[in-house]
Short mmCIF file of all heavy atoms in Angstrom, two decimals:
data_model
loop_
_atom_site.label_atom_id
_atom_site.label_comp_id
_atom_site.label_asym_id
_atom_site.label_seq_id
_atom_site.Cartn_x
_atom_site.Cartn_y
_atom_site.Cartn_z
N ALA Y 96 -4.93 -16.50 -4.13
CA ALA Y 96 -6.17 -16.52 -4.90
C ALA Y 96 -7.20 -15.60 -4.27
O ALA Y 96 -8.03 -15.01 -4.96
CB ALA Y 96 -6.74 -17.93 -4.97
N PHE Y 97 -7.13 -15.44 -2.97
CA PHE Y 97 -8.13 -14.68 -2.23
C PHE Y 97 -7.56 -13.35 -1.78
O PHE Y 97 -7.60 -12.99 -0.61
CB PHE Y 97 -8.64 -15.52 -1.05
CG PHE Y 97 -9.08 -16.89 -1.49
CD1 PHE Y 97 -8.32 -18.00 -1.20
CD2 PHE Y 97 -10.24 -17.05 -2.23
CE1 PHE Y 97 -8.72 -19.26 -1.62
CE2 PHE Y 97 -10.64 -18.31 -2.66
CZ PHE Y 97 -9.88 -19.41 -2.36
N ASP Y 98 -7.04 -12.62 -2.75
CA ASP Y 98 -6.37 -11.36 -2.48
C ASP Y 98 -6.53 -10.48 -3.73
O ASP Y 98 -6.14 -10.88 -4.82
CB ASP Y 98 -4.90 -11.67 -2.19
CG ASP Y 98 -4.05 -10.46 -1.95
OD1 ASP Y 98 -4.28 -9.41 -2.56
OD2 ASP Y 98 -3.11 -10.57 -1.15
N LEU Y 99 -7.07 -9.29 -3.56
CA LEU Y 99 -7.30 -8.40 -4.70
C LEU Y 99 -5.99 -7.97 -5.35
O LEU Y 99 -5.88 -7.93 -6.57
CB LEU Y 99 -8.12 -7.18 -4.26
CG LEU Y 99 -8.50 -6.22 -5.37
CD1 LEU Y 99 -9.38 -6.91 -6.41
CD2 LEU Y 99 -9.20 -5.00 -4.81
N TYR Y 100 -4.99 -7.67 -4.55
CA TYR Y 100 -3.70 -7.23 -5.07
C TYR Y 100 -3.13 -8.27 -6.03
O TYR Y 100 -2.71 -7.96 -7.14
CB TYR Y 100 -2.72 -6.98 -3.92
CG TYR Y 100 -1.31 -6.67 -4.35
CD1 TYR Y 100 -0.96 -5.39 -4.75
CD2 TYR Y 100 -0.33 -7.67 -4.36
CE1 TYR Y 100 0.34 -5.11 -5.16
CE2 TYR Y 100 0.95 -7.40 -4.76
CZ TYR Y 100 1.29 -6.12 -5.16
OH TYR Y 100 2.57 -5.84 -5.57
N HIS Y 101 -3.12 -9.53 -5.61
CA HIS Y 101 -2.58 -10.59 -6.46
C HIS Y 101 -3.47 -10.86 -7.67
O HIS Y 101 -2.98 -11.25 -8.73
CB HIS Y 101 -2.36 -11.88 -5.65
CG HIS Y 101 -1.16 -11.78 -4.76
ND1 HIS Y 101 -1.26 -11.43 -3.43
CD2 HIS Y 101 0.15 -11.96 -5.01
CE1 HIS Y 101 -0.06 -11.41 -2.90
NE2 HIS Y 101 0.82 -11.73 -3.84
N SER Y 102 -4.76 -10.66 -7.53
CA SER Y 102 -5.66 -10.81 -8.68
C SER Y 102 -5.37 -9.75 -9.73
O SER Y 102 -5.33 -10.04 -10.93
CB SER Y 102 -7.12 -10.72 -8.24
OG SER Y 102 -7.47 -11.83 -7.45
N VAL Y 103 -5.14 -8.51 -9.30
CA VAL Y 103 -4.77 -7.43 -10.23
C VAL Y 103 -3.45 -7.79 -10.91
O VAL Y 103 -3.31 -7.65 -12.13
CB VAL Y 103 -4.67 -6.07 -9.51
CG1 VAL Y 103 -4.05 -5.01 -10.41
CG2 VAL Y 103 -6.04 -5.62 -9.02
N TYR Y 104 -2.50 -8.25 -10.13
CA TYR Y 104 -1.19 -8.65 -10.66
C TYR Y 104 -1.34 -9.71 -11.75
O TYR Y 104 -0.77 -9.60 -12.84
CB TYR Y 104 -0.32 -9.15 -9.51
CG TYR Y 104 0.91 -9.92 -9.92
CD1 TYR Y 104 1.99 -9.26 -10.50
CD2 TYR Y 104 1.00 -11.29 -9.73
CE1 TYR Y 104 3.12 -9.96 -10.89
CE2 TYR Y 104 2.12 -11.99 -10.11
CZ TYR Y 104 3.18 -11.33 -10.68
OH TYR Y 104 4.31 -12.02 -11.06
N ARG Y 105 -2.12 -10.76 -11.47
CA ARG Y 105 -2.29 -11.83 -12.46
C ARG Y 105 -2.99 -11.32 -13.71
O ARG Y 105 -2.60 -11.67 -14.83
CB ARG Y 105 -3.06 -13.01 -11.84
CG ARG Y 105 -2.28 -13.79 -10.81
CD ARG Y 105 -2.99 -15.08 -10.41
NE ARG Y 105 -4.40 -14.91 -10.10
CZ ARG Y 105 -4.88 -14.56 -8.91
NH1 ARG Y 105 -4.08 -14.35 -7.90
NH2 ARG Y 105 -6.19 -14.44 -8.72
N MET Y 106 -4.04 -10.51 -13.55
CA MET Y 106 -4.75 -9.97 -14.71
C MET Y 106 -3.82 -9.10 -15.56
O MET Y 106 -3.86 -9.17 -16.79
CB MET Y 106 -5.97 -9.16 -14.28
CG MET Y 106 -7.06 -9.98 -13.64
SD MET Y 106 -7.83 -11.11 -14.81
CE MET Y 106 -9.05 -11.86 -13.76
N LEU Y 107 -2.99 -8.28 -14.90
CA LEU Y 107 -2.01 -7.47 -15.64
C LEU Y 107 -1.06 -8.34 -16.43
O LEU Y 107 -0.77 -8.06 -17.59
CB LEU Y 107 -1.21 -6.59 -14.67
CG LEU Y 107 -1.85 -5.30 -14.21
CD1 LEU Y 107 -1.02 -4.67 -13.09
CD2 LEU Y 107 -2.01 -4.32 -15.36
N GLN Y 108 -0.58 -9.40 -15.81
CA GLN Y 108 0.36 -10.29 -16.49
C GLN Y 108 -0.30 -10.97 -17.70
O GLN Y 108 0.31 -11.08 -18.76
CB GLN Y 108 0.91 -11.35 -15.52
CG GLN Y 108 1.76 -10.78 -14.42
CD GLN Y 108 3.05 -10.15 -14.93
OE1 GLN Y 108 3.48 -10.38 -16.04
NE2 GLN Y 108 3.65 -9.32 -14.10
N ILE Y 109 -1.52 -11.41 -17.53
CA ILE Y 109 -2.22 -12.06 -18.64
C ILE Y 109 -2.44 -11.07 -19.77
O ILE Y 109 -2.17 -11.37 -20.94
CB ILE Y 109 -3.57 -12.66 -18.17
CG1 ILE Y 109 -3.33 -13.83 -17.22
CG2 ILE Y 109 -4.40 -13.12 -19.37
CD1 ILE Y 109 -4.58 -14.31 -16.50
N LEU Y 110 -2.93 -9.88 -19.45
CA LEU Y 110 -3.20 -8.88 -20.48
C LEU Y 110 -1.92 -8.42 -21.17
O LEU Y 110 -1.94 -8.08 -22.36
CB LEU Y 110 -3.96 -7.69 -19.89
CG LEU Y 110 -5.40 -8.02 -19.47
CD1 LEU Y 110 -6.01 -6.83 -18.73
CD2 LEU Y 110 -6.25 -8.42 -20.66
N THR Y 111 -0.80 -8.40 -20.45
CA THR Y 111 0.48 -8.04 -21.06
C THR Y 111 0.87 -9.05 -22.14
O THR Y 111 1.41 -8.70 -23.18
CB THR Y 111 1.58 -7.97 -19.99
OG1 THR Y 111 1.22 -6.98 -19.03
CG2 THR Y 111 2.92 -7.63 -20.58
N HIS Y 112 0.56 -10.32 -21.91
CA HIS Y 112 0.87 -11.37 -22.88
C HIS Y 112 -0.18 -11.52 -23.97
O HIS Y 112 0.04 -12.23 -24.94
CB HIS Y 112 1.04 -12.72 -22.16
CG HIS Y 112 2.31 -12.82 -21.40
ND1 HIS Y 112 2.47 -12.27 -20.16
CD2 HIS Y 112 3.48 -13.41 -21.71
CE1 HIS Y 112 3.69 -12.51 -19.73
NE2 HIS Y 112 4.32 -13.20 -20.66
N PHE Y 113 -1.31 -10.88 -23.80
CA PHE Y 113 -2.40 -10.98 -24.78
C PHE Y 113 -2.13 -9.95 -25.87
O PHE Y 113 -2.45 -8.78 -25.74
CB PHE Y 113 -3.75 -10.72 -24.10
CG PHE Y 113 -4.93 -10.90 -25.01
CD1 PHE Y 113 -5.28 -12.15 -25.47
CD2 PHE Y 113 -5.69 -9.81 -25.40
CE1 PHE Y 113 -6.37 -12.33 -26.30
CE2 PHE Y 113 -6.79 -9.97 -26.23
CZ PHE Y 113 -7.12 -11.23 -26.68
N ASN Y 114 -1.49 -10.39 -26.95
CA ASN Y 114 -1.00 -9.47 -27.99
C ASN Y 114 -1.96 -9.35 -29.17
O ASN Y 114 -1.54 -9.30 -30.31
CB ASN Y 114 0.38 -9.93 -28.48
CG ASN Y 114 1.41 -9.80 -27.41
OD1 ASN Y 114 1.38 -8.87 -26.61
ND2 ASN Y 114 2.33 -10.74 -27.36
N ARG Y 115 -3.22 -9.27 -28.89
CA ARG Y 115 -4.20 -9.12 -29.97
C ARG Y 115 -4.93 -7.79 -29.77
O ARG Y 115 -5.10 -7.33 -28.65
CB ARG Y 115 -5.19 -10.27 -29.95
CG ARG Y 115 -4.53 -11.62 -30.13
CD ARG Y 115 -5.56 -12.72 -30.08
NE ARG Y 115 -4.96 -14.02 -29.95
CZ ARG Y 115 -4.52 -14.75 -30.96
NH1 ARG Y 115 -4.60 -14.30 -32.18
NH2 ARG Y 115 -4.00 -15.93 -30.74
N ASN Y 116 -5.33 -7.19 -30.85
CA ASN Y 116 -6.07 -5.94 -30.76
C ASN Y 116 -7.56 -6.20 -30.75
O ASN Y 116 -8.34 -5.43 -31.30
CB ASN Y 116 -5.69 -5.01 -31.92
CG ASN Y 116 -4.27 -4.52 -31.78
OD1 ASN Y 116 -3.79 -4.32 -30.68
ND2 ASN Y 116 -3.60 -4.33 -32.91
N ASP Y 117 -7.94 -7.28 -30.18
CA ASP Y 117 -9.33 -7.71 -30.13
C ASP Y 117 -9.75 -7.76 -28.67
O ASP Y 117 -8.99 -7.44 -27.77
CB ASP Y 117 -9.42 -9.10 -30.78
CG ASP Y 117 -10.81 -9.40 -31.31
OD1 ASP Y 117 -11.70 -8.55 -31.19
OD2 ASP Y 117 -10.99 -10.51 -31.86
N TYR Y 118 -10.96 -8.16 -28.43
CA TYR Y 118 -11.44 -8.31 -27.06
C TYR Y 118 -11.27 -9.75 -26.60
O TYR Y 118 -11.07 -10.65 -27.40
CB TYR Y 118 -12.91 -7.89 -26.95
CG TYR Y 118 -13.87 -8.85 -27.62
CD1 TYR Y 118 -14.38 -9.92 -26.92
CD2 TYR Y 118 -14.25 -8.68 -28.94
CE1 TYR Y 118 -15.25 -10.83 -27.53
CE2 TYR Y 118 -15.11 -9.56 -29.55
CZ TYR Y 118 -15.61 -10.63 -28.84
OH TYR Y 118 -16.46 -11.52 -29.44
N VAL Y 119 -11.33 -9.94 -25.31
CA VAL Y 119 -11.37 -11.27 -24.72
C VAL Y 119 -12.56 -11.28 -23.77
O VAL Y 119 -12.83 -10.30 -23.08
CB VAL Y 119 -10.04 -11.64 -24.01
CG1 VAL Y 119 -9.74 -10.71 -22.86
CG2 VAL Y 119 -10.05 -13.07 -23.54
N GLU Y 120 -13.29 -12.37 -23.77
CA GLU Y 120 -14.47 -12.48 -22.92
C GLU Y 120 -14.04 -12.54 -21.45
O GLU Y 120 -13.03 -13.12 -21.13
CB GLU Y 120 -15.28 -13.74 -23.25
CG GLU Y 120 -15.72 -13.85 -24.70
CD GLU Y 120 -14.74 -14.62 -25.57
OE1 GLU Y 120 -13.54 -14.73 -25.21
OE2 GLU Y 120 -15.16 -15.11 -26.62
N THR Y 121 -14.86 -11.94 -20.59
CA THR Y 121 -14.57 -11.93 -19.16
C THR Y 121 -14.45 -13.35 -18.62
O THR Y 121 -13.54 -13.65 -17.84
CB THR Y 121 -15.66 -11.17 -18.39
OG1 THR Y 121 -15.78 -9.86 -18.94
CG2 THR Y 121 -15.33 -11.06 -16.92
N GLU Y 122 -15.34 -14.24 -19.04
CA GLU Y 122 -15.29 -15.62 -18.56
C GLU Y 122 -14.00 -16.31 -18.99
O GLU Y 122 -13.42 -17.07 -18.23
CB GLU Y 122 -16.50 -16.41 -19.07
CG GLU Y 122 -17.81 -15.96 -18.44
CD GLU Y 122 -19.02 -16.65 -19.05
OE1 GLU Y 122 -18.98 -17.00 -20.25
OE2 GLU Y 122 -20.01 -16.82 -18.31
N ARG Y 123 -13.56 -16.07 -20.22
CA ARG Y 123 -12.32 -16.67 -20.71
C ARG Y 123 -11.14 -16.15 -19.88
O ARG Y 123 -10.27 -16.91 -19.46
CB ARG Y 123 -12.11 -16.35 -22.19
CG ARG Y 123 -10.89 -17.04 -22.79
CD ARG Y 123 -10.67 -16.65 -24.25
NE ARG Y 123 -11.82 -16.86 -25.09
CZ ARG Y 123 -12.06 -17.96 -25.78
NH1 ARG Y 123 -11.22 -18.98 -25.72
NH2 ARG Y 123 -13.13 -18.05 -26.55
N LEU Y 124 -11.12 -14.85 -19.63
CA LEU Y 124 -10.04 -14.26 -18.84
C LEU Y 124 -10.04 -14.81 -17.42
O LEU Y 124 -8.98 -15.09 -16.85
CB LEU Y 124 -10.18 -12.74 -18.83
CG LEU Y 124 -9.03 -11.95 -18.24
CD1 LEU Y 124 -7.74 -12.22 -19.01
CD2 LEU Y 124 -9.34 -10.46 -18.26
N ARG Y 125 -11.20 -15.02 -16.85
CA ARG Y 125 -11.30 -15.61 -15.51
C ARG Y 125 -10.76 -17.04 -15.51
O ARG Y 125 -10.07 -17.45 -14.57
CB ARG Y 125 -12.74 -15.59 -15.01
CG ARG Y 125 -13.25 -14.22 -14.64
CD ARG Y 125 -14.62 -14.25 -13.99
NE ARG Y 125 -14.61 -15.16 -12.86
CZ ARG Y 125 -15.50 -16.16 -12.68
NH1 ARG Y 125 -16.49 -16.36 -13.54
NH2 ARG Y 125 -15.42 -16.95 -11.63
N ILE Y 126 -11.06 -17.80 -16.56
CA ILE Y 126 -10.55 -19.17 -16.68
C ILE Y 126 -9.03 -19.15 -16.78
O ILE Y 126 -8.33 -19.90 -16.11
CB ILE Y 126 -11.20 -19.91 -17.88
CG1 ILE Y 126 -12.68 -20.18 -17.60
CG2 ILE Y 126 -10.45 -21.21 -18.19
CD1 ILE Y 126 -13.47 -20.67 -18.80
N TRP Y 127 -8.49 -18.25 -17.61
CA TRP Y 127 -7.04 -18.12 -17.74
C TRP Y 127 -6.41 -17.78 -16.39
O TRP Y 127 -5.36 -18.31 -16.04
CB TRP Y 127 -6.68 -17.05 -18.75
CG TRP Y 127 -6.97 -17.37 -20.17
CD1 TRP Y 127 -7.38 -18.56 -20.70
CD2 TRP Y 127 -6.90 -16.47 -21.27
NE1 TRP Y 127 -7.55 -18.45 -22.06
CE2 TRP Y 127 -7.26 -17.18 -22.44
CE3 TRP Y 127 -6.56 -15.13 -21.39
CZ2 TRP Y 127 -7.30 -16.59 -23.69
CZ3 TRP Y 127 -6.59 -14.54 -22.64
CH2 TRP Y 127 -6.95 -15.27 -23.78
N ASP Y 128 -7.05 -16.89 -15.66
CA ASP Y 128 -6.53 -16.49 -14.35
C ASP Y 128 -6.47 -17.69 -13.41
O ASP Y 128 -5.50 -17.87 -12.67
CB ASP Y 128 -7.40 -15.37 -13.75
CG ASP Y 128 -6.93 -14.96 -12.38
OD1 ASP Y 128 -5.77 -14.52 -12.24
OD2 ASP Y 128 -7.73 -15.08 -11.43
N PHE Y 129 -7.50 -18.51 -13.43
CA PHE Y 129 -7.52 -19.71 -12.59
C PHE Y 129 -6.31 -20.61 -12.92
O PHE Y 129 -5.63 -21.10 -12.03
CB PHE Y 129 -8.83 -20.48 -12.79
CG PHE Y 129 -8.88 -21.79 -12.06
CD1 PHE Y 129 -9.26 -21.83 -10.72
CD2 PHE Y 129 -8.56 -22.98 -12.69
CE1 PHE Y 129 -9.30 -23.04 -10.02
CE2 PHE Y 129 -8.62 -24.19 -12.01
CZ PHE Y 129 -8.98 -24.22 -10.67
N TYR Y 130 -6.05 -20.80 -14.21
CA TYR Y 130 -4.96 -21.69 -14.60
C TYR Y 130 -3.59 -21.03 -14.41
O TYR Y 130 -2.59 -21.74 -14.27
CB TYR Y 130 -5.15 -22.19 -16.03
CG TYR Y 130 -6.26 -23.21 -16.09
CD1 TYR Y 130 -7.46 -22.92 -16.72
CD2 TYR Y 130 -6.13 -24.45 -15.48
CE1 TYR Y 130 -8.50 -23.85 -16.75
CE2 TYR Y 130 -7.15 -25.38 -15.50
CZ TYR Y 130 -8.33 -25.07 -16.13
OH TYR Y 130 -9.35 -25.99 -16.15
N LEU Y 131 -3.53 -19.72 -14.38
CA LEU Y 131 -2.28 -19.06 -14.01
C LEU Y 131 -2.03 -19.26 -12.51
O LEU Y 131 -0.90 -19.48 -12.08
CB LEU Y 131 -2.31 -17.57 -14.35
CG LEU Y 131 -1.09 -16.76 -13.92
CD1 LEU Y 131 0.19 -17.33 -14.52
CD2 LEU Y 131 -1.27 -15.30 -14.30
N LEU Y 132 -3.08 -19.20 -11.75
CA LEU Y 132 -2.99 -19.41 -10.31
C LEU Y 132 -2.64 -20.86 -9.96
O LEU Y 132 -1.87 -21.12 -9.04
CB LEU Y 132 -4.33 -19.03 -9.67
CG LEU Y 132 -4.42 -18.92 -8.17
CD1 LEU Y 132 -3.41 -17.93 -7.63
CD2 LEU Y 132 -5.82 -18.49 -7.78
N PHE Y 133 -3.20 -21.79 -10.71
CA PHE Y 133 -2.95 -23.23 -10.50
C PHE Y 133 -2.49 -23.86 -11.81
O PHE Y 133 -3.24 -24.60 -12.45
CB PHE Y 133 -4.23 -23.92 -10.00
CG PHE Y 133 -4.80 -23.33 -8.75
CD1 PHE Y 133 -5.93 -22.53 -8.80
CD2 PHE Y 133 -4.20 -23.57 -7.52
CE1 PHE Y 133 -6.46 -21.98 -7.65
CE2 PHE Y 133 -4.73 -23.03 -6.36
CZ PHE Y 133 -5.86 -22.23 -6.42
N PRO Y 134 -1.25 -23.57 -12.26
CA PRO Y 134 -0.80 -24.07 -13.57
C PRO Y 134 -0.80 -25.59 -13.70
O PRO Y 134 -0.97 -26.11 -14.79
CB PRO Y 134 0.62 -23.50 -13.72
CG PRO Y 134 0.96 -22.88 -12.43
CD PRO Y 134 -0.25 -22.77 -11.59
N ASP Y 135 -0.65 -26.30 -12.59
CA ASP Y 135 -0.67 -27.77 -12.66
C ASP Y 135 -2.02 -28.28 -13.16
O ASP Y 135 -2.12 -29.39 -13.67
CB ASP Y 135 -0.38 -28.38 -11.30
CG ASP Y 135 1.05 -28.16 -10.85
OD1 ASP Y 135 1.88 -27.73 -11.67
OD2 ASP Y 135 1.34 -28.42 -9.67
N LYS Y 136 -3.06 -27.50 -13.00
CA LYS Y 136 -4.41 -27.91 -13.39
C LYS Y 136 -4.63 -27.82 -14.90
O LYS Y 136 -5.64 -28.31 -15.40
CB LYS Y 136 -5.46 -27.07 -12.66
CG LYS Y 136 -5.47 -27.27 -11.17
CD LYS Y 136 -5.95 -28.67 -10.86
CE LYS Y 136 -6.03 -28.93 -9.39
NZ LYS Y 136 -6.45 -30.28 -9.11
N ILE Y 137 -3.72 -27.21 -15.64
CA ILE Y 137 -3.88 -27.12 -17.09
C ILE Y 137 -3.96 -28.52 -17.70
O ILE Y 137 -4.68 -28.74 -18.67
CB ILE Y 137 -2.74 -26.29 -17.73
CG1 ILE Y 137 -2.89 -24.82 -17.33
CG2 ILE Y 137 -2.74 -26.42 -19.25
CD1 ILE Y 137 -1.80 -23.92 -17.83
#
């Protein structure tokens, strides 16, 4: 969680799965990243 490299990796993975031609809010993306990092918390 406290590593830029892994944060870039997670953001890339999320954006790869985001199959919409629309925008996503930064806060929403940050929330998604948190739950990708800690999936049990979903």
Side-chain angles (χ1 to χ4, degrees):
F97 308 107
D98 177 326
L99 183 62
Y100 173 82
H101 285 96
S102 292
V103 170
Y104 165 72
R105 289 190 313 273
M106 293 293 181
L107 278 171
Q108 294 295 343
I109 292 169
L110 291 173
T111 300
H112 286 80
F113 184 68
N114 294 323
R115 300 179 193 275
N116 291 327
D117 204 0
Y118 70 88
V119 62
E120 303 93 338
T121 305
E122 291 174 330
R123 184 183 306 268
L124 189 60
R125 288 187 54 232
I126 291 170
W127 290 351
D128 178 60
F129 176 84
Y130 288 111
L131 176 57
L132 191 57
F133 303 105
D135 291 348
K136 295 292 182 181
I137 291 177

